[in-house]
Amino acid sequence: MASIKYYDLKQNRITNYEFSYKKMLDPKGNTAVYLVYAYVRICSIIRKSGLSEDRLGELARVGYKITHPEERKLGALLIKFAEVVNEAVDELALNRLTDYIYAVTTKVQENYKRYRIVGDEHMESRLMLCLAIKQVLDRTSTWR
């Protein structure tokens, strides 16, 4: 069901709609399957760290330190969340929001290959970033 909802939302409302189960269920690409996988992976990393989301929230209030250039890019993308939501509403274009969350999850997946999170000396700051990503996905999820 989530795959169908997400596929519908990612369509530009002024273009022709193409119904395709193959495209809806593709695990590689801008689909709910891909987003759910990314979400579960983020949740797993947070859980494996042994730190609660409440504790990460407390740490975030103290401050966040960027420890890798790719974290800066991801943080810059997260900062645009409110702007993207406003644009999607103003333009009645929910596909802008789906494109945004796909961009976030793609960047996260790329970063997994660039640096460790759990067990790294910068684990806490990287987990705070994971929590921020999880919160964005929580607010935009179609699978809940």
Side-chain angles (χ1 to χ4, degrees):
M1 193 64 172
S3 293
I4 294 170
K5 284 198 283 188
Y6 184 81
Y7 186 79
D8 283 348
L9 292 173
K10 79 174 194 162
Q11 302 299 313
N12 186 328
R13 66 181 176 82
I14 59 174
T15 60
N16 290 334
Y17 181 86
E18 176 190 344
F19 187 88
S20 169
Y21 277 124
K22 184 177 179 181
K23 289 181 181 178
M24 288 178 195
L25 300 173
D26 187 355
K28 298 176 185 171
N30 191 359
T31 64
V33 175
Y34 180 83
L35 297 177
V36 169
Y37 171 77
Y39 180 82
V40 168
R41 192 165 182 193
I42 290 167
C43 292
S44 175
I45 288 169
I46 293 170
R47 188 183 68 253
K48 286 179 183 177
S49 75
L51 296 175
S52 70
E53 289 185 24
D54 291 337
R55 177 67 181 136
L56 290 172
E58 291 169 11
L59 290 171
R61 283 188 281 283
V62 173
Y64 172 78
K65 181 180 177 186
I66 293 174
T67 60
H68 192 280
E70 294 301 318
E71 291 177 352
R72 179 178 302 282
K73 292 176 186 175
L74 189 50
L77 193 55
L78 289 174
I79 288 171
K80 294 180 182 180
F81 178 61
E83 179 184 334
V84 171
V85 170
N86 288 333
E87 286 176 3
V89 170
D90 291 346
E91 299 173 20
L92 300 175
L94 290 176
N95 61 302
R96 288 189 184 272
L97 191 56
T98 59
D99 291 345
Y100 170 79
I101 59 176
Y102 177 67
V104 169
T105 55
T106 301
K107 179 55 82 179
V108 168
Q109 300 288 38
E110 291 169 3
N111 288 357
Y112 290 146
K113 298 171 188 167
R114 292 191 171 99
Y115 54 77
R116 282 186 60 81
I117 298 174
V118 176
D120 188 84
E121 66 179 301
H122 305 293
M123 181 176 83
E124 289 181 349
S125 65
R126 290 181 179 167
L127 285 169
M128 285 185 264
L129 189 58
C130 286
L131 181 60
I133 295 160
K134 180 186 177 296
Q135 290 170 343
V136 166
L137 294 176
D138 282 340
R139 287 172 174 79
T140 59
S141 68
T142 59
W143 58 81
R144 295 180 144 215

